[in-house]
């Protein structure tokens, strides 16, 4: 008499295509270590590693504060992403999928809680006084001579609820970047970006809406250079 094993653990660790993978792609890509690298009240930056193989692209999935599912497509060459438009002091669970040919090959997950809302949100550039005294370290004369330059903020891809932007730095370097824009309700949004980044995906946008993005190159807390662009989300 044939007995069936208990099916208690429907683990969806390796969704789809396990059977054919070994023959079709001998080096099965592996996705590891999804970790949070920085948190603000309205954004989370995450990083991951791909110790083996490579993926065509990634897909980050999570539910917003209202419980609505969000899907953020990410370029296959990326190993970090910043998710903006989040709610303060809210727990989010993020699932990152590695894709090959439209199929999910591997997955990693993590959860995090956004920071508490500050009493006064950072004002938009038109209202912000430039405070050079905020630089605690006095920069060397060599650093002052090499003024960093930020150029060519361009839109590399658009979906109905996200925009991917890229930029160049032909001269010098920045400690960090800051992307500023207004959401569909006209509220200012501020997205901090790591100084090594040359692209960012802005998610949580409204469909078929025109946005104007301002990217600032920062040294300490001083804005050194500025580029802007406009984009309209898809229908």
């Amino acid at each position: 008499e044939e007995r069936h094993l208990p099916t208690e653990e429907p683990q969806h660790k390796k969704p789809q295509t396990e059977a054919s993978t070994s023959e079709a792609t001998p080096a099965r890509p592996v996705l590891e270590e999804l970790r949070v690298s920085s948190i603000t009240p309205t954004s989370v930056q995450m990083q991951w590693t791909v110790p083996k193989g490579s993926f065509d692209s990634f897909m980050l999935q999570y539910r917003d504060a209202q419980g609505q599912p969000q899907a953020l497509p990410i370029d296959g060459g990326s190993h970090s992403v910043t998710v903006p438009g989040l709610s303060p002091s809210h727990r989010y669970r993020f699932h990152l999928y590695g894709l090959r040919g439209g199929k999910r090959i591997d997955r990693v997950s993590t959860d995090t809680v956004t920071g508490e809302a500050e009493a006064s949100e950072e004002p938009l550039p038109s209202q912000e006084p430039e405070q050079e005294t905020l630089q605690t370290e006095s920069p060397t004369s060599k650093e002052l001579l090499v003024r960093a330059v930020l150029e060519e903020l361009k839109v590399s891809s658009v979906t109905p609820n996200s925009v991917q932007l890229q930029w160049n730095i032909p001269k010098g370097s920045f400690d960090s970047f800051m992307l500023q824009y207004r959401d569909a309700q006209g509220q200012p949004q501020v997205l901090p970006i790591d100084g090594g980044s040359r692209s960012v995906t802005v998610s949580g946008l409204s469909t078929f809406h025109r946005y104007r993005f301002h990217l600032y190159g920062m040294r300490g807390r001083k804005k050194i250079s500025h580029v802007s662009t406009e984009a309209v989300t898809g229908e």
Side-chain angles (χ1 to χ4, degrees), residues 140-191:
T140 64
S141 56
K142 189 175 178 183
E143 283 178 324
L144 287 172
L145 287 171
V146 181
R147 182 186 174 86
V149 175
L150 187 56
E151 277 184 4
E152 283 188 279
L153 181 63
K154 58 180 188 285
V155 178
S156 52
S157 72
V158 174
T159 76
N161 60 8
S162 72
V163 169
Q164 188 175 43
L165 305 169
Q166 294 181 330
W167 58 90
N168 290 331
I169 301 175
K171 190 169 131 187
S173 65
F174 296 96
D175 297 339
S176 65
F177 302 99
M178 183 181 295
L179 187 75
Q180 295 185 340
Y181 64 99
R182 289 185 182 272
D183 64 20
Q185 288 74 44
Q187 294 302 306
Q189 300 291 331
V190 180
L191 176 59

Side-chain angles (χ1 to χ4, degrees), residues 68-143:
Q68 295 302 306
Q70 300 290 333
L72 175 59
I74 304 165
D75 181 74
S78 299
H79 287 79
S80 71
V81 70
T82 301
V83 187
L86 304 180
S87 295
S89 302
H90 187 80
R91 178 176 292 279
Y92 290 88
R93 183 156 182 79
F94 297 99
H95 305 282
L96 182 73
Y97 295 89
L99 281 74
R100 266 256 186 103
K103 291 178 180 173
R104 296 173 176 180
I105 304 295
D106 207 353
R107 187 192 89 180
V108 281
S109 300
T110 191
D111 17 357
T112 189
V113 178
T114 46
E116 290 184 28
E118 296 170 17
S120 59
E121 290 292 332
E122 183 168 350
L124 281 175
S126 57
Q127 307 155 342
E128 184 175 325
E130 297 287 348
Q131 298 182 30
E132 229 170 310
T133 51
L134 286 172
Q135 289 187 337
T136 49
E137 297 177 36
S138 57
T140 64
S141 56
K142 189 175 178 183
E143 283 178 324

